[in-house]
Amino acid sequence: MRINKLLAALLLAAAAALAVNTGAHAAINSMNLGARYDANKANISFQIYSSRATRIELSVYASAYGSQEVARYVLNKGANNVWSTSVVVSALQALGVTGPVYYGYRAWGPNWPYNTGWSKGSSAGFISDVDAAGNRFNPNKLLIDPYALEISHDPVNASWSDGTVYASGATYRAIDSGPRAPKGIVLAGDTQSIGTKPTRAQKDDVVYEVNLRGLSMNDAGTPAAYRGTYQGAALKAGYLASLGVTAVEFLPLQETQNDANDVSAAVEASDNYWGYMTLNFFAPDRRYAYDKSAGGPTREFKSMVKAFHDKGIKVLVDVVYNHTGEGAAWGNTDGLTVYNVFSWRGLDNPTYYELTSDYQYSYDNTGVGGNYNTHNPVAQNLIVDSLAYWKNTLGVDGFRFDEAPVLGNSCEVGCYNFDKMDSANALNRITRELPPRPAAGGSGVDLIAEPWAASGTNNNNYQVGGFPSGWSEWNGVFRDTLRRSQNELGVVAITPGQLAMRFSGSADLYQNNGRLPWNSVNFMVAHDGFTLKDLYSCNGKNNNQAYPYGPSDGGNDDNDSWDQNSVAQDQRKAARNGMAFLLLSAGTPMLTGGDETLRTLNCNNNPYNVDTVGNWLNYSLNAEQTNFKTFTQRLIAFRKAHPALRPVNFYSGVDNNGNVMEQLRWFKPDGGVADATYFNDGNNHALAYRIDGSEFGDSASAIYVAYNGWSGTVNFTLPWPGNGKSWYRVMDTANWNEGANTVVTPGAEALIGGENSVYGVNGRAVLLLIAK
């Protein structure tokens, strides 16, 4: 056994060394992939990776769409499987390329070797759509450069709706996609400012998750031409700053297939509003640009980033590296599975995608297409290089990673195994080359994982609490525990101990992994599910609605939602409680766009395809919505004013010198300290806690929060507020206190009394007091 272990260790070491030599890199884009001008803009170098191609040609175009190339160049294969050529700019100008340079590639390989008789639209040289090694080369398909900094248009768009031109298979393989295919655009670079990046510690952030288009599309205060664009989003920076938001987290902004949304004014089943089908990892989505000229999306994106930075707001971007917009198999022709071929698949299919064990099909546990090959060093290079570009050049401050367990996959062929200890996985690679922001703040990048994927063996797709050091996570356990406590009373037993764990930063999930409470990104709702209002207004999903709220397919059937017996005032109270849970708990709170104004989707919990006024944020508010916005705004301000709610470390009863600190103490309603018996009893539905503000340099010597999960009033006996101090009410979410002043402004707090005073908290309400 010892000999076997030694051999295994040697083999692993050899494999690691080979990986370093063939793909992994210490410098960002050390192979200089992509297209770039030289210093004098006299020449353009083109470089692209393929380990399996036998011939690659560059096609250069004078226009993006509908025309043939003006020149073709054969690339030379060099070291590290990098193919390259250099083109003289004046020669292109002589051929009529007087504006932007558009380009794409055609590639041949073992399944379709080069034949001198080949011409566009022919099958000369063809052997098979896929061979035993998984190659899917097809020279009839013009390929997007994975390192292109912008692309000209989407494969399917308002001018071209026939996606079969990009397909393989007997019926489609000989169709030339060149005139219709998206092209890369050569950018000259610029020195445009992205402003001063905030260096705020993540523990001090309030995150606002939103679709960029939806943020301004329905805003009458934004000029019509700018609505739904980067420019329009920039104009909302002041609004988010006034709300108290410190980080805006945009749904995917890398180029995705969404141009087809504009074909019809009515929602279509194929619309892509959320943007989780990436076509290129570098290019800012052109559809979101007011200026769609070459270079326009990049300039406008950077201008938007500066607008947020000027308000002290971080810009986070949701990124999708677990699958791509090239998609999975979609049909059969003469017994062959049909795949789209417009980028990675046609350049080096087994490198960029994880394949089944026979190499014939995409391996999939994302639920939306084949897995991106996140464990392959070259495929990882593309991930790291693109992240670095968005961080360093475009100015982004952090990222949220869609289905991030796939980035922890330790397999490359026909399997899935999440292994956070694998130093060669993408998760650990990212933190090595893009250092996370320190706990106390400073330079670095905020890394946030969606810690679940669609499927996996032994449930290793669900990894809440399972990520390595440097990573924060969407805390789905926080969401589920508090939803069930509110909406499943008598159905699901939630103990006070479970509540205490979530309120205090989820030490059970993060402390033993060497992480801290702020690595828990707390949320009650996200884009993927009900809005905050609908969580407390809907007993189930209603996705088969007419325009503008649907129809949408899919959506989770288990939402832990409840309509509060259809009592509108109780629905608003429940929403206040949900917001209070977020903003009064240790961790990083995340709101979803529009929840501050009780946004509704009429119970549609999967509006991924609803690019309509029904899904865009609304700024024409009634009195109840205005009151809820004020409630949210003031509660955010309270959190920001009180560092005791934002601990860098887990609350502790003893400091490093052994001194009793009593930073946090839990109480039963009768004023007694909650013990294990009380904590573990699922029949108890009321809990309070006191945070000692003096331990954090807080302006309040103590903060007291009480939650009554019962339907009737519960009397809470108040603890000691501090020497010479009394308790004052900041907030009571009960119906009797509904209105513009549910949360009072500083200095307007109502005196409640001292130690042993009794306060009756109404059913299903949250109380917030400070000592002064």
Side-chain angles (χ1 to χ4, degrees):
M1 181 63 71
R2 287 182 179 176
I3 294 175
N4 288 341
K5 286 184 175 179
L6 178 60
L7 287 173
L10 290 172
L11 288 171
L12 286 172
L18 180 62
V20 170
N21 291 333
T22 58
H25 58 81
I28 300 301
N29 195 7
S30 60
M31 292 190 285
N32 294 314
L33 300 177
R36 57 181 52 82
Y37 287 92
D38 62 13
N40 298 319
K41 295 185 173 55
N43 302 280
I44 305 173
S45 64
F46 295 87
Q47 299 198 113
I48 193 163
Y49 177 91
S50 179
S51 65
R52 293 167 173 82
T54 55
R55 179 184 175 96
I56 298 180
E57 288 186 2
L58 166 72
S59 294
V60 177
Y61 295 78
S63 60
Y65 185 82
S67 61
Q68 300 293 335
E69 71 274 12
V70 298
R72 285 163 52 184
Y73 304 87
V74 177
L75 276 66
N76 298 309
K77 184 178 181 180
N80 297 317
N81 297 308
V82 175
W83 300 69
S84 62
T85 190
S86 182
V87 177
V88 178
V89 172
S90 60
L92 293 179
Q93 292 172 341
L95 293 170
V97 184
T98 57
V101 176
Y102 300 99
Y103 71 102
Y105 293 100
R106 297 180 188 270
W108 290 257
N111 67 296
W112 195 320
Y114 179 71
N115 184 300
T116 56
W118 177 86
S119 61
K120 290 178 290 185
S122 84
S123 296
F126 170 79
I127 297 175
S128 63
D129 287 303
V130 58
D131 64 13
N135 294 302
R136 288 186 175 272
F137 293 98
N138 184 331
N140 288 314
K141 311 304 176 182
L142 190 76
L143 305 175
I144 305 168
D145 180 359
Y147 279 74
L149 300 184
E150 284 187 4
I151 64 174
S152 58
H153 57 275
D154 290 356
V156 177
N157 52 72
S159 300
W160 186 258
S161 60
D162 183 4
T164 63
V165 298
Y166 308 105
S168 59
T171 302
Y172 312 116
R173 72 172 70 101
I175 300 174
D176 176 34
S177 68
R180 310 297 181 188
K183 281 80 175 175
I185 303 174
V186 184
L187 299 186
D190 61 66
T191 58
Q192 182 180 346
S193 173
I194 47 86
T196 301
K197 283 192 168 191
T199 57
R200 182 185 312 104
Q202 187 183 310
K203 75 179 184 68
D204 297 326
D205 277 330
V206 176
V207 180
Y208 189 89
E209 188 213 25
V210 69
N211 180 281
L212 184 138
R213 179 171 166 85
L215 178 61
S216 65
M217 194 66 188
N218 194 34
D219 179 26
T222 298
Y226 295 155
R227 294 175 195 168
T229 68
Y230 301 121
Q231 178 71 10
L235 297 177
K236 301 305 297 180
Y239 167 76
L240 294 186
S242 70
L243 190 62
V245 166
T246 67
V248 59
E249 181 181 304
F250 288 116
L251 270 61
L253 298 181
Q254 295 170 333
E255 190 73 59
T256 191
Q257 173 63 68
N258 58 14
D259 283 354
N261 293 25
D262 298 322
V263 173
S264 172
V267 67
E268 300 288 345
S270 61
D271 276 3
N272 180 2
Y273 177 63
W274 284 350
Y276 288 90
M277 293 295 282
T278 309
L279 297 174
N280 179 277
F281 294 138
F282 286 84
D285 197 319
R286 180 169 300 275
R287 183 170 185 252
Y288 295 148
Y290 166 71
D291 178 4
K292 292 180 172 60
S293 66
T298 299
R299 291 188 297 270
E300 193 174 324
F301 182 89
K302 293 173 72 172
S303 178
M304 178 195 73
V305 169
K306 183 178 186 302
F308 281 105
H309 285 172
D310 288 349
K311 295 292 185 181
I313 297 175
K314 295 177 182 175
V315 177
L316 313 180
V317 176
D318 197 333
V319 288
V320 185
Y321 292 110
N322 58 81
H323 69 282
T324 78
E326 213 160 13
W330 56 265
N332 291 283
T333 303
D334 296 345
L336 296 174
T337 302
V338 177
Y339 283 87
N340 291 326
V341 180
F342 49 70
S343 187
W344 309 274
R345 184 167 286 130
L347 284 167
D348 204 324
N349 189 43
T351 288
Y352 288 116
Y353 292 107
E354 183 178 359
L355 305 179
T356 53
S357 57
D358 62 2
Y359 292 91
Q360 299 301 288
Y361 305 97
S362 295
Y363 181 87
D364 179 23
N365 76 306
T366 66
V368 285
N371 285 25
Y372 186 76
N373 195 356
T374 62
H375 200 265
N376 181 282
V378 171
Q380 284 182 7
N381 289 351
L382 181 57
I383 294 173
V384 174
D385 292 342
S386 59
L387 289 172
Y389 177 75
W390 283 80
K391 172 183 177 288
N392 299 331
T393 300
L394 300 184
V396 167
D397 303 284
F399 304 91
R400 180 267 191 188
F401 292 76
D402 181 64
E403 294 197 22
V406 177
L407 280 77
N409 191 9
S410 60
C411 299
E412 289 193 40
V413 179
C415 59
Y416 170 75
N417 180 56
F418 179 90
D419 182 4
K420 76 172 184 179
M421 302 305 294
D422 178 8
S423 64
N425 71 26
L427 296 173
N428 290 311
R429 170 85 181 275
I430 289 167
T431 56
R432 284 196 302 271
E433 299 195 26
L434 298 171
R437 194 182 310 280
S443 61
V445 61
D446 298 313
L447 300 173
I448 301 170
E450 180 190 32
W452 46 81
S455 63
T457 57
N458 300 320
N459 202 34
N460 64 3
N461 60 308
Y462 188 78
Q463 290 296 333
V464 176
F467 277 70
S469 177
W471 284 87
S472 297
E473 302 171 20
W474 277 17
N475 190 344
V477 181
F478 178 97
R479 172 199 61 194
D480 296 343
T481 300
L482 295 177
R483 283 186 177 191
R484 290 166 185 166
S485 176
Q486 285 186 278
N487 294 335
E488 301 283 351
L489 182 67
V491 178
V492 178
I494 298 297
T495 68
Q498 290 173 291
L499 294 175
M501 188 64 73
R502 302 308 146 223
F503 290 148
S504 60
S506 297
D508 61 329
L509 298 175
Y510 303 108
Q511 191 168 31
N512 290 336
N513 287 329
R515 291 181 290 165
L516 298 166
W518 49 268
N519 289 126
S520 172
V521 176
N522 298 330
F523 67 110
M524 294 300 296
V525 299
H527 72 276
D528 194 357
F530 283 140
T531 66
L532 189 69
K533 181 183 188 305
D534 289 353
L535 176 63
Y536 306 110
S537 304
C538 306
N539 288 326
K541 68 182 183 183
N542 180 20
N543 295 356
N544 192 28
Q545 301 180 62
Y547 180 94
Y549 292 105
S552 304
D553 60 356
N556 201 324
D557 294 324
D558 184 12
N559 298 283
D560 296 317
S561 63
W562 177 41
D563 73 350
Q564 321 298 310
N565 293 322
S566 299
V567 178
Q569 191 176 33
D570 286 347
Q571 292 171 353
R572 296 192 296 272
K573 176 179 66 175
R576 291 194 294 273
N577 291 343
M579 189 66 74
F581 290 156
L582 276 182
L583 295 171
L584 298 178
S585 296
T588 304
M590 184 186 79
L591 291 66
T592 299
D595 282 344
E596 76 278 12
T597 58
L598 295 175
R599 170 175 170 255
T600 182
L601 275 159
N602 289 355
C603 305
N604 186 339
N605 75 344
N606 197 40
Y608 70 96
N609 62 323
V610 184
D611 189 2
T612 72
V613 66
N615 210 358
W616 304 329
L617 271 60
N618 173 44
Y619 296 96
S620 299
L621 309 180
N622 60 32
E624 291 164 352
Q625 292 171 317
T626 299
N627 287 341
F628 198 85
K629 176 187 170 187
T630 300
F631 171 85
T632 303
Q633 192 174 35
R634 290 182 179 179
L635 203 53
I636 291 175
F638 182 86
R639 179 183 180 85
K640 293 168 76 171
H642 294 282
L645 296 172
R646 314 187 311 273
V648 67
N649 297 304
F650 287 100
Y651 292 115
S652 174
V654 179
D655 69 11
N656 293 332
N657 298 316
N659 300 311
V660 177
M661 299 174 68
E662 297 185 356
Q663 290 180 334
L664 176 65
R665 179 166 286 188
W666 302 98
F667 293 95
K668 298 181 290 185
D670 65 6
V673 175
D675 56 14
T677 300
Y678 188 82
F679 270 139
N680 295 329
D681 189 345
N683 294 311
N684 295 324
H685 303 291
L687 183 68
Y689 55 98
R690 178 192 185 277
I691 305 174
D692 187 342
S694 63
E695 298 287 348
F696 300 91
D698 203 302
S699 60
S701 60
I703 296 172
Y704 178 82
V705 179
Y707 167 52
N708 175 18
W710 292 101
S711 58
T713 298
V714 171
N715 291 325
F716 283 79
T717 299
L718 304 182
W720 179 61
N723 290 329
K725 306 288 186 180
S726 295
W727 291 111
Y728 288 78
R729 186 178 63 235
V730 177
M731 176 198 76
D732 186 330
T733 64
N735 287 343
W736 67 264
N737 196 36
E738 183 176 26
N741 292 303
T742 302
V743 177
V744 300
T745 57
E749 302 91 351
L751 173 65
I752 301 302
E755 185 177 8
N756 296 321
S757 296
V758 176
Y759 190 105
V761 179
N762 286 181
R764 305 186 189 279
V766 178
L767 171 70
L768 171 63
L769 307 177
I770 59 170
K772 64 176 185 175

